[in-house]
Amino acid sequence: MAIEEKERLIEEKYLEDTINWMNHEIGRVEENKGNLKGRIDSLRRESKGKYNEELETAEKLYKITSKSLEKYSDGKESPYFARIDFREKKRDVESYYIGKFGLGDGNTGEERVIDWRSPIADLYYGGTFGECYYRAPMGLVIGELSLKRKFIIREEKLIDAFDEGINEVILRGNDEEGSALVDEFLKVNLEESGSSKLKEVVATIQKEQNEVIRSEKNIPLILQGVAGSGKTTVALHRVAYLLYKYKEKLLSKDILIIAPNKVFLDYISDVLPNLGVDSIKQNTYEEIVCEILNIKEKIITKDNKLSQILEEENELEELITISRIKGSVEFKALIDIYIEYIEKEDGEKIEDIKVYDYVLFNKEEIKRLFIEDLKKMPINIRKDEIKRYFTLKIEDKIRNILDKVNFYYEYKVARVKNKMEDGEERRKRLIEIYDERDNKRKDIVKMSNVCFNEYFEKWKEVKTENLYIDFLKNIDKFVPKDNLFISEDIIEKILNEIIENSSKGIIDSEDLAPMLYLKFKIEDVPEKFKYKHIVVDEVQDYSEFQMATLKHMVELNSLTLVGDLAQGIYFYKGINNWPQVIHNVFNEEVNFITLNKSYRSTVEIINFASKVLVKGIESAIPVFRHGKDVEVAKFKNNREFSEKLDEIVELVQEEGKNTIAIICKNYNECKKLKTHLNKYSSNKWDVVKDTSKSITNSKIIIPAYMTKGLEFDCSIIYNCNEDNYGDNELDRKILYVALTRALHYEYIFYNGSKSSLI
């Protein structure tokens, strides 16, 4: 359905009015900000470093004003991306313009642009034409949706507009392509070039992605998303949404994002700030655990271990077996039994808390509290709680003892009075008894608190530093051999490896979860590391034990876990199937969602990549964007490869694309290739390794396992021959990861015999 010329003019006029209004608001806010700055400077001089309530209020207002100014300034080039027309029942039709930020008039309070996270904006992402509803804080709002219009606005100018349901370009004219039953607006956005950083996508969030973003906070969410489904982007937008929806209860400091490596963290680092969200802690699992445990030793990361598996054949089966054991919930269960063993030993040491021969608190009560009533608490926290509880009762206990002392001395006084006649001698003896009583009372009051504190000081600490080694050394003391699922040989190997690593000043990352869990069960989670929501990306590469430790760190199981089983290259310790995780870690209480549409790559790239998938894993469904076929070519030597590579670079750059990645099987291959390219290629190439913190060059050489979550305009798979990529689960998954990184172009080179996987 064609749009009349007057409709186009209306949109252009509304945009012009909005920009003018925003310029006025920017001027007004800048003036307010300047006035506040002057007021703050004046108040600081007056307060002379002392607390001043008016100064504190002015500083808070200044921060709010600065944030408001940022929103207007950032949003001016493209203040909104959509419009919906909605008529609430018994009311007139209203037009709502939706943007990255809500923009309101500071004087009237009227919202000119609706925040994409607001309840009514849900109609843009998931509403259907005709009668529909959205959920507002006061309940369901029912009405009729009559228009969804999408805009491309650049530098304050309206470039294109698209009406959903019409599926045609409405501002270009009728002579261009646009009638195919596809989302033209999404297609235009997907055809843009990649960059070194992930971008926010509030304008192109799809219905199924929107459902993930807005799903319930206080139930674990597991998102199984195919390569290119936008699961990382969705997870980050979900963070922005939760902060908006629960703004009164949830702050940025309450959220933790865990990502696979530093390169990935740098890649996603712009998304949340671009959505107006700052100060979210983002880290790797290894780094957050080292921070909690105050570990200074060098860590053998999961990437180090994978490199070892890829490049070494010796004792591979045993290495994989040990990794699986350490990451299992069965290993966690053994530690739980060990905790009970410590608890029992600790409980047997419990004695009465006494002052002289008087019992302040008897051991039966202490044992009952420690072993029964407070059993759910970490061991050291139980002791703190018992001490806190007894502190509330100690004065009554002391009074009871003093009553006994009084009774004893009253008895002594009565005996003296009965046996001695009244006179100087009897009076002298009575004074001695009263003095003795008073001194005894004073001493008991003083020593009661001393004995009480000494008791808990002596009993308090179970040190966790060496408990992991103690657990392995004494496993036969608390687990009968018939019930032990690990062989003695494997236990001995694990123990010896830990001791040997310790002597070298290193720790295997697979030992971090058991060490962390022991700390939590003995000492509890430190307050600094208690969160209200945790996001874990590439969760298929984490063990069940690691996920169990994260559960301890978050309130109400509020977790967003996103991953893809098809990309589970850390198969030796990661997740093989979701039902097992849902049962073992979350006791079936999980919101499980799948995303099977891939928006990253062209149809040709996705179809090619799907050929190598492990059997039983669902392939991605490509979304309507076609491109060049994947090219497979043989090369004789690295000089020939370099020449062909330079041709590809020239072609890609002529098409206006920038990011190009050569993906090798492992890091050693990357280093060797870099040496050859230094000789033969006319382009500069940077090697990315597991210790890299960012990608600064648009042309890189990267190991396949480091590409998880990343995307490039063009990817080049280096040496996809039978030696590098054999017909086994690990090679299939690594190759699948490598093949699903490209946005627009993909080339595969091999030397010798081509891999049977392709």
Side-chain angles (χ1 to χ4, degrees):
M1 176 180 175
I3 299 296
E4 295 178 5
E5 181 66 18
K6 67 176 183 179
E7 192 75 15
R8 171 176 173 266
L9 293 173
I10 287 170
E11 295 297 0
E12 288 184 341
K13 181 67 170 64
Y14 188 85
L15 177 61
E16 184 184 345
D17 290 347
T18 301
I19 300 295
N20 290 336
W21 168 78
M22 289 179 76
N23 284 328
H24 177 267
E25 285 296 298
I26 287 169
R28 182 184 64 79
V29 175
E30 281 179 339
E31 185 180 348
N32 285 348
K33 186 180 176 183
N35 292 338
L36 278 168
K37 182 70 169 62
R39 181 66 183 146
I40 287 167
D41 291 342
S42 174
L43 288 168
R44 278 179 180 162
R45 286 193 295 272
E46 290 173 16
S47 65
K48 296 178 180 178
K50 294 179 181 177
Y51 173 74
N52 184 307
E53 187 177 350
E54 189 179 353
L55 173 61
E56 185 182 41
T57 302
E59 286 174 336
K60 285 179 181 176
L61 278 172
Y62 184 80
K63 284 181 182 177
I64 292 168
T65 304
S66 298
K67 199 75 177 173
S68 179
L69 184 60
E70 279 178 28
K71 284 201 304 184
Y72 286 113
S73 301
D74 290 349
K76 204 171 75 142
E77 283 200 357
S78 179
Y80 49 81
F81 55 80
R83 166 188 161 187
I84 58 171
D85 287 359
F86 180 71
R87 183 176 67 83
E88 196 176 332
K89 281 196 172 181
K90 299 181 181 178
R91 294 190 181 183
D92 295 332
V93 174
E94 288 191 61
S95 294
Y96 299 90
Y97 286 79
I98 301 166
K100 189 163 65 173
F101 305 113
L103 300 173
D105 190 304
N107 293 321
T108 66
E110 179 188 348
E111 273 197 294
R112 182 140 189 152
V113 177
I114 303 297
D115 193 294
W116 69 277
R117 299 166 291 186
S118 66
I120 195 169
D122 195 22
L123 293 174
Y124 166 69
Y125 296 111
T128 54
F129 291 109
E131 187 172 309
C132 61
Y133 66 88
Y134 67 91
R135 295 182 186 277
M138 74 288 292
L140 287 183
V141 179
I142 301 171
E144 184 180 348
L145 182 67
S146 54
L147 179 72
K148 277 192 198 181
R149 183 165 291 167
K150 305 174 183 184
F151 304 106
I152 294 178
I153 299 170
R154 300 279 187 270
E155 297 178 355
E156 304 179 17
K157 299 293 180 186
L158 182 60
I159 308 301
D160 274 336
F162 308 84
D163 274 3
E164 187 171 299
I166 298 169
N167 296 305
E168 64 180 348
V169 183
I170 64 171
L171 297 184
R172 286 178 175 169
N174 296 327
D175 58 335
E176 294 188 40
E177 181 185 354
S179 59
L181 291 176
V182 297
D183 186 334
E184 288 288 341
F185 181 67
L186 177 60
K187 188 176 179 183
V188 168
N189 280 275
L190 292 177
E191 286 172 348
E192 291 182 353
S193 294
S195 70
S196 61
K197 296 289 179 75
L198 191 65
K199 295 175 284 189
E200 55 82 9
V201 295
V202 290
T204 57
I205 292 168
Q206 301 301 290
K207 182 178 180 180
E208 70 273 17
Q209 295 172 328
N210 180 56
E211 288 170 2
V212 176
I213 290 167
R214 295 174 187 255
S215 61
E216 175 59 36
K217 170 181 170 285
N218 292 332
I219 182 170
L221 168 66
I222 294 179
L223 173 60
Q224 158 62 40
V226 298
S229 60
K231 53 187 176 293
T232 298
T233 306
V234 165
L236 294 172
H237 284 66
R238 174 164 164 75
V239 168
Y241 170 75
L242 293 176
L243 285 167
Y244 176 87
K245 183 176 181 181
Y246 301 99
K247 58 174 77 76
E248 303 301 324
K249 299 176 182 177
L250 189 67
L251 304 174
S252 294
K253 67 180 180 63
D254 299 324
I255 297 177
L256 170 67
I257 295 173
I258 293 180
N261 52 57
K262 283 292 188 184
V263 168
F264 188 88
L265 284 167
D266 179 70
Y267 179 64
I268 67 173
S269 61
D270 283 356
V271 176
L272 288 172
N274 285 338
L275 293 171
V277 175
D278 298 312
S279 306
I280 298 273
K281 182 153 188 168
Q282 302 180 44
N283 226 328
T284 65
Y285 180 83
E286 288 91 349
E287 286 180 323
I288 200 79
V289 176
C290 287
E291 197 177 339
I292 296 170
L293 297 178
N294 196 29
I295 288 172
K296 305 299 182 188
E297 290 87 344
K298 184 182 177 183
I299 302 299
I300 304 170
T301 67
K302 65 180 187 300
D303 290 333
N304 298 145
K305 183 64 68 75
L306 184 61
S307 295
Q308 188 180 351
I309 288 171
L310 291 173
E311 293 165 20
E312 295 179 19
E313 297 297 329
N314 296 337
E315 299 182 357
L316 184 58
E317 189 176 331
E318 189 175 89
L319 189 150
I320 291 171
T321 299
I322 290 173
S323 294
R324 281 181 174 156
I325 286 169
K326 287 180 182 178
S328 67
V329 288
E330 289 82 7
F331 198 59
K332 171 183 164 289
L334 285 180
I335 292 180
D336 285 328
I337 296 169
Y338 173 63
I339 297 294
E340 290 180 3
Y341 166 74
I342 293 175
E343 177 188 284
K344 185 180 177 184
E345 280 204 326
D346 221 3
E348 287 172 357
K349 297 174 188 173
I350 291 173
E351 299 292 341
D352 295 330
I353 303 177
K354 297 170 77 173
V355 54
Y356 299 117
D357 292 328
Y358 298 101
V359 176
L360 273 167
F361 298 96
N362 65 62
K363 61 184 178 183
E364 284 74 22
E365 182 181 13
I366 301 169
K367 280 185 179 180
R368 176 180 55 77
L369 289 167
F370 182 69
I371 293 172
E372 296 175 21
D373 296 3
L374 303 175
K375 188 173 180 64
K376 290 186 178 179
M377 290 183 175
I379 285 176
N380 285 354
I381 302 304
R382 284 183 229 177
K383 296 173 183 178
D384 288 337
E385 191 62 22
I386 291 169
K387 183 179 180 182
R388 188 195 66 78
Y389 174 61
F390 282 174
T391 300
L392 300 174
K393 298 173 69 176
I394 194 168
E395 287 187 12
D396 287 338
K397 293 288 186 179
I398 292 171
R399 272 195 293 270
N400 290 338
I401 292 172
L402 293 179
D403 287 344
K404 291 177 183 177
V405 170
N406 287 342
F407 181 78
Y408 170 72
Y409 281 99
E410 282 171 11
Y411 172 72
K412 285 185 77 171
V413 166
R415 285 193 66 185
V416 168
K417 286 181 177 179
N418 285 335
K419 287 186 177 182
M420 296 177 69
E421 290 187 7
D422 191 16
E424 187 65 29
E425 198 63 35
R426 190 174 84 163
R427 283 196 294 275
K428 185 178 177 183
R429 178 66 186 132
L430 289 174
I431 289 169
E432 286 175 356
I433 292 171
Y434 287 131
D435 285 345
E436 186 182 321
R437 180 200 65 185
D438 292 343
N439 289 332
K440 185 83 169 178
R441 284 170 58 90
K442 286 179 185 176
D443 198 32
I444 283 172
V445 170
K446 178 185 174 184
M447 290 308 297
S448 290
N449 288 293
V450 170
C451 293
F452 180 79
N453 288 322
E454 282 181 351
Y455 180 94
F456 282 99
E457 196 61 39
K458 185 178 176 183
W459 187 43
K460 166 75 169 70
E461 291 298 334
V462 173
K463 301 290 185 184
T464 58
E465 286 83 352
N466 298 311
L467 277 188
Y468 187 35
I469 289 176
D470 184 70
F471 156 70
L472 293 165
K473 279 182 177 178
N474 296 298
I475 205 163
D476 59 316
K477 292 182 181 177
F478 53 88
V479 181
K481 285 186 180 180
D482 294 345
N483 295 343
L484 191 60
F485 74 96
I486 314 171
S487 72
E488 290 182 27
D489 286 347
I490 291 293
I491 290 171
E492 190 175 348
K493 283 186 182 295
I494 293 173
L495 180 59
N496 290 339
E497 185 183 75
I498 291 166
I499 293 169
E500 185 183 344
N501 284 343
S502 180
S503 69
K504 295 176 182 175
I506 57 178
I507 295 175
D508 191 331
S509 62
E510 291 167 5
D511 293 313
L512 293 177
M515 292 166 69
L516 186 67
Y517 187 68
L518 277 163
K519 182 179 178 70
F520 289 169
K521 295 296 282 187
I522 300 294
E523 299 177 12
D524 202 5
V525 182
E527 282 298 320
K528 181 184 174 183
F529 299 99
K530 290 180 179 177
Y531 297 94
K532 292 183 179 177
H533 193 76
I534 294 178
V535 175
V536 185
D537 205 348
E538 303 294 345
V539 73
Q540 76 280 349
D541 295 331
Y542 293 81
S543 69
E544 291 181 352
F545 200 165
Q546 286 175 316
M547 279 188 265
T549 60
L550 292 173
K551 267 183 66 181
H552 279 266
M553 294 169 60
V554 72
E555 186 181 279
L556 299 172
N557 281 347
S558 185
L559 291 151
T560 297
L561 310 171
V562 302
D564 178 20
L565 293 183
Q567 299 180 64
I569 60 177
Y570 302 89
F571 71 97
Y572 56 91
K573 74 175 189 70
I575 305 307
N576 294 315
N577 67 80
W578 293 121
Q580 184 175 309
V581 175
I582 292 168
H583 175 74
N584 289 344
V585 182
F586 298 105
N587 300 317
E588 313 296 340
E589 295 180 6
V590 159
N591 181 12
F592 182 79
I593 301 176
T594 60
L595 295 179
N596 56 12
K597 291 179 184 174
S598 179
Y599 300 95
R600 175 188 296 143
S601 309
T602 62
V603 171
E604 289 76 13
I605 291 170
I606 289 297
N607 287 342
F608 189 94
S610 296
K611 295 176 188 176
V612 308
L613 272 176
V614 175
K615 288 179 182 177
I617 292 182
E618 187 178 359
S619 61
I621 300 170
V623 177
F624 59 67
R625 190 168 64 89
H626 284 276
K628 285 185 65 178
D629 286 335
V630 175
E631 291 190 24
V632 181
K634 187 173 184 177
F635 68 97
K636 294 176 184 177
N637 52 51
N638 283 297
R639 180 193 288 273
E640 183 184 351
F641 172 77
S642 300
E643 290 169 357
K644 291 181 178 179
L645 177 65
D646 285 348
E647 290 174 10
I648 292 169
V649 171
E650 187 177 352
L651 183 148
V652 170
Q653 290 178 339
E654 282 176 357
E655 294 293 320
K657 308 304 180 187
N658 303 307
T659 55
I660 303 170
I662 305 170
I663 303 174
C664 297
K665 176 75 176 292
N666 53 52
Y667 177 58
N668 280 342
E669 192 172 61
C670 289
K671 286 194 296 182
K672 289 175 184 175
L673 179 59
K674 163 74 169 169
T675 303
H676 296 303
L677 294 184
N678 285 344
K679 286 183 186 177
Y680 304 126
S681 174
S682 59
N683 292 284
K684 182 181 180 295
W685 298 88
D686 287 348
V687 174
V688 178
K689 53 186 176 180
D690 61 352
T691 55
S692 299
K693 294 185 177 178
S694 62
I695 296 174
T696 54
N697 190 358
S698 61
K699 292 182 277 295
I700 62 169
I701 311 167
I702 186 169
Y705 55 82
M706 286 288 295
T707 64
K708 300 280 282 294
L710 306 180
E711 57 187 36
F712 314 100
D713 287 324
C714 173
S715 66
I716 297 151
I717 314 301
Y718 177 74
N719 209 4
C720 188
N721 62 20
E722 196 62 38
D723 291 335
N724 259 346
Y725 296 97
D727 191 359
N728 60 71
E729 181 183 358
L730 177 57
D731 285 355
R732 279 183 179 276
K733 287 186 173 180
I734 288 178
L735 184 55
Y736 179 73
V737 169
L739 290 171
T740 53
R741 301 303 100 200
L743 291 162
H744 310 291
Y745 309 101
E746 185 152 79
Y747 298 86
I748 300 170
F749 286 89
Y750 67 94
N751 177 260
S753 300
K754 182 171 66 173
S755 170
S756 60
L757 299 181
I758 59 169

